[in-house]
Amino acid sequence: EDLIDSYYGPEELAGRVEAEEPREPASLAEDAASLAEDAVADDWLAAQVGALAANARRYGGERLEYAEEGRLVYGIEPCWHDDADFRRAIEILDETLPGSGDPRARFAAWLEQVAIPADILEQALLDTAAELRRLTRERIGLPDGEEFELELVTDVRWLGYAEYLGGLRTKISVNTDLPLPAADLVHLTSHEIYGGHHTHRVWIEADLVRGGGEDERRLDLLWSPEALISEGIAETGPELVSGDG
């Protein structure tokens, strides 16, 4: 179920898929590989179908090597990062954090101290989003009629999540089980909403779906090249929108 990030295409198509009997992953992988090779002329769509083939192989029990999975699912070549950089980061934390002892425990304690209190978190997010919306309109632009809805959630494994609903609307969920440092408020809000995922998706619908007739864009895949591009935009967006802070 977590393979599909969002879908806002025709209800009849969703109903037809829902009514179908599940097929074996190996059979789906073969079909996807064949489609990617023979029937898909568009490079972007072929990459998405290729990612589906790799995911089907994994669901069928095949174990892919890490680098191979990166190539097949995300269209990238993973590179090894020198552990020395991480060791240096731990040294800096050890020098900077209050107290002594295990930096992990001290970092967790610091996070709790600087976290935004739960009783003001929703209003803090809404106020931040309002200012980021103004900046986004000014610096990037937004299609008329775009909106988001915000909900605070618990018992999930992520801090923030943007589910695109279609109709230029996104549901933003923020997990109150995890501490959100005040210094990360702007980045998280921009990553999920203005400058990031919401901004990206409303322009896809406005320009590519409505403007260009690319109905395949109504389906968003999580484990795919699309997800890599989407996260890259969401990490870059905050800097583009808020500039030097």
Side-chain angles (χ1 to χ4, degrees):
E1 290 184 357
D2 61 357
L3 179 61
I4 306 292
D5 195 27
S6 65
Y7 173 77
Y8 58 100
E11 291 184 10
E12 317 87 73
L13 181 58
R16 195 176 82 202
V17 170
E18 199 66 35
E20 290 176 350
E21 288 295 320
R23 293 176 56 200
E24 288 297 319
S27 174
L28 291 171
E30 290 175 8
D31 284 357
S34 175
L35 183 64
E37 286 179 9
D38 303 330
V40 180
D42 179 85
D43 287 344
W44 171 251
L45 194 53
Q48 295 287 97
V49 173
L52 286 171
N55 278 293
R57 288 168 59 186
R58 290 195 304 116
Y59 293 143
E62 185 175 347
R63 181 174 176 81
L64 301 174
E65 292 297 325
Y66 187 80
E68 183 185 17
E69 187 172 330
R71 286 191 296 270
L72 296 177
V73 175
Y74 299 106
I76 59 172
E77 187 69 44
C79 300
W80 187 261
H81 199 90
D82 193 334
D83 283 355
D85 288 340
F86 298 109
R87 287 194 293 271
R88 178 59 186 144
I90 294 172
E91 289 173 3
I92 293 171
L93 282 173
D94 194 23
E95 295 165 1
T96 307
L97 290 166
S100 60
D102 189 343
R104 291 172 296 184
R106 289 155 60 204
F107 184 64
W110 175 82
L111 277 178
E112 293 292 342
Q113 292 171 9
V114 299
I116 300 171
D119 59 339
I120 64 168
L121 178 58
E122 183 174 15
Q123 194 59 53
L125 289 163
L126 292 172
D127 290 347
T128 304
E131 175 62 9
L132 287 168
R133 186 185 204 179
R134 183 188 69 78
L135 289 169
T136 302
R137 281 194 180 282
E138 189 179 283
R139 300 180 180 183
I140 298 174
L142 288 166
D144 291 338
E146 57 79 25
E147 292 287 349
F148 74 93
E149 56 187 69
L150 175 66
E151 65 171 1
L152 302 182
V153 299
T154 59
D155 297 323
V156 290
R157 63 179 184 269
W158 34 258
L159 177 58
Y161 188 78
E163 178 187 1
Y164 194 63
L165 304 175
L168 307 182
R169 296 174 303 118
T170 305
K171 182 170 73 173
I172 306 297
S173 304
V174 175
N175 180 12
T176 58
D177 289 338
L178 298 176
L180 173 59
D184 290 346
L185 175 62
V186 171
H187 185 275
L188 175 74
T189 310
S190 185
H191 178 110
E192 301 296 348
I193 314 175
Y194 290 115
H197 292 311
H198 171 70
T199 305
H200 179 204
R201 293 297 179 207
V202 296
W203 276 122
I204 284 178
E205 182 173 1
D207 276 3
L208 301 184
V209 177
R210 299 182 183 183
E214 298 183 21
D215 282 337
E216 67 271 18
R217 298 282 188 164
R218 295 178 183 268
L219 174 72
D220 299 327
L221 295 177
L222 266 183
W223 319 122
S224 67
E226 176 178 36
L228 186 80
I229 297 293
S230 179
E231 290 302 325
I233 287 173
E235 281 296 290
T236 306
E239 186 174 347
L240 294 177
V241 171
S242 60
D244 61 4

